[in-house]
Amino acid sequence: MSKVRESIARAALMYDGHFSVDELVQTLHERGVQDAHLATVYRALPLMVEAGLIQPALVSKHDGQRYEASFERDHHDHLVCTSCGRVVEYKSEALEALQREIARRYDYELDDHVHELRGRCKSCRNRAH
Amino acid sequence: MSKVRESIARAALMYDGHFSVDELVQTLHERGVQDAHLATVYRALPLMVEAGLIQPALVSKHDGQRYEASFERDHHDHLVCTSCGRVVEYKSEALEALQREIARRYDYELDDHVHELRGRCKSCRNRAH
DNA sequence: ATCGATGCAAAGGGTTTGCAAGGTT
DNA sequence: AACCTTGCAAACCCTTTGCATCGAT
């Protein structure tokens, strides 16, 4: 692994959440370590995905692909309040079992999922009425 | 509403699942009804979303934004092949019941959800090995 | 006559690629 | 020397926009 790629990898794994390609380049520049060219980053990222270091982030976003460190993607899902943004993380074995069953039905070998429930939490409902 | 937009709307609502902008234009051309220009379609779609006719499909897009009729929403979720992009739409009452139960547990009033399973379909697995 | 809708072409923004130069073994 | 990596610029794809024209009120 070259030095440039090592810098890219180090920076990528440092993010708490997900990051865009531009943000990554920005970070590298600020850090002054390397002047990784945009094209180089674009070429490095798929390799890092291949190597299992990072993954495309499963956010329904519009601006461009985002990535996140592989270890970020632990098995929890989100229950998001559409009013106040509060997020509850939950985990349901029954749900995961069900997902596996659905994948089996269509003969897909599952390796990931996004599950996000959206609604309004109790306090927001009370506040509204 | 102009005739062109009416044709666009009619075609959009005719799809069983979701569609891309190109597919929509293609359909319109094949139907020969109108030669709706790409730019016109791009301008019409946000209006139709605004009007509640269609919605952006909650698929982590590969190639470009996809849309689906509003009434399609909440009726199915997606199983996406990470290799070839093939999308299977499925619906599971058990799954929805489970979601409702989770929401109830945390006292959220559910009004939407994203559920996307990601994996590799049979033919892609075969091709690789 | 006015005002929105359309076609066209050109511009934008994100991503990919061809190629020559630079590194590494 | 052979091979991989990088920078750069140009190409690409999807989407948006400026502008003149068309259409309906």
Side-chain angles (χ1 to χ4, degrees):
Chain A
M1 182 184 264
S2 76
K3 283 187 177 164
V4 175
R5 287 197 185 157
E6 195 183 322
S7 300
I8 295 172
R10 197 186 311 284
L13 296 178
M14 227 145 179
Y15 282 93
D16 253 1
H18 40 71
F19 58 90
S20 72
V21 177
D22 284 343
E23 285 161 9
L24 183 54
V25 171
Q26 191 81 12
T27 299
L28 288 168
H29 276 214
E30 282 168 9
R31 203 170 290 179
V33 188
Q34 294 274 0
D35 257 62
H37 198 273
L38 200 55
T40 304
V41 175
Y42 272 113
R43 279 190 274 235
L45 288 172
L47 300 175
M48 291 171 59
V49 170
E50 187 72 17
L53 274 175
I54 58 171
Q55 300 194 326
L58 300 173
V59 199
S60 19
K61 273 276 304 179
H62 246 298
D63 274 2
Q65 183 63 57
R66 300 184 73 83
Y67 294 89
E68 63 190 353
S70 293
F71 52 72
E72 291 276 356
R73 179 87 51 74
D74 256 339
H75 268 4
H76 60 262
D77 297 311
H78 296 301
L79 183 50
V80 182
C81 177
T82 51
S83 286
C84 67
R86 194 159 69 97
V87 177
V88 173
E89 292 185 352
Y90 65 88
K91 178 166 168 46
S92 159
E93 185 43 48
L95 182 64
E96 312 231 344
L98 205 45
Q99 292 179 160
R100 286 194 292 273
E101 189 199 312
I102 291 169
R104 191 175 332 119
R105 186 186 314 157
Y106 296 103
D107 211 338
Y108 271 57
E109 187 177 90
L110 213 57
D111 47 47
D112 209 351
H113 71 266
V114 199
H115 196 201
E116 187 178 305
L117 299 177
R118 289 203 270 253
R120 306 185 70 207
C121 68
K122 188 176 190 176
S123 48
C124 283
R125 292 205 307 279
N126 290 340
R127 196 176 320 124
H129 304 157
Chain B
M1 182 183 264
S2 76
K3 283 187 178 164
V4 176
R5 289 198 183 155
E6 194 183 322
S7 300
I8 294 172
R10 196 186 310 285
L13 296 179
M14 227 145 180
Y15 283 94
D16 254 0
H18 42 70
F19 57 89
S20 71
V21 176
D22 284 343
E23 285 162 8
L24 183 54
V25 171
Q26 190 81 12
T27 299
L28 287 168
H29 277 213
E30 281 166 11
R31 203 171 288 178
V33 188
Q34 294 274 358
D35 257 62
H37 198 273
L38 200 55
T40 305
V41 175
Y42 273 112
R43 279 189 274 234
L45 288 172
L47 299 175
M48 291 170 60
V49 170
E50 187 71 16
L53 273 174
I54 59 172
Q55 300 192 329
L58 298 173
V59 188
S60 43
K61 50 168 189 213
H62 280 103
D63 271 3
Q65 183 63 58
R66 302 185 72 83
Y67 293 89
E68 64 191 353
S70 293
F71 52 73
E72 293 273 359
R73 181 68 95 71
D74 268 354
H75 288 194
H76 63 260
D77 296 309
H78 297 300
L79 184 50
V80 182
C81 178
T82 52
S83 285
C84 67
R86 193 160 68 97
V87 177
V88 172
E89 295 179 350
Y90 65 87
K91 175 165 169 49
S92 159
E93 183 45 46
L95 184 64
E96 312 230 343
L98 205 44
Q99 292 178 162
R100 286 194 292 273
E101 190 200 312
I102 291 169
R104 192 176 329 118
R105 185 185 314 155
Y106 296 103
D107 211 337
Y108 271 57
E109 187 178 89
L110 215 54
D111 48 46
D112 204 356
H113 70 266
V114 191
H115 195 202
E116 186 177 310
L117 299 177
R118 299 165 56 85
R120 305 184 69 206
C121 68
K122 188 176 191 175
S123 47
C124 283
R125 291 205 308 278
N126 291 340
R127 196 176 320 126
H129 308 151

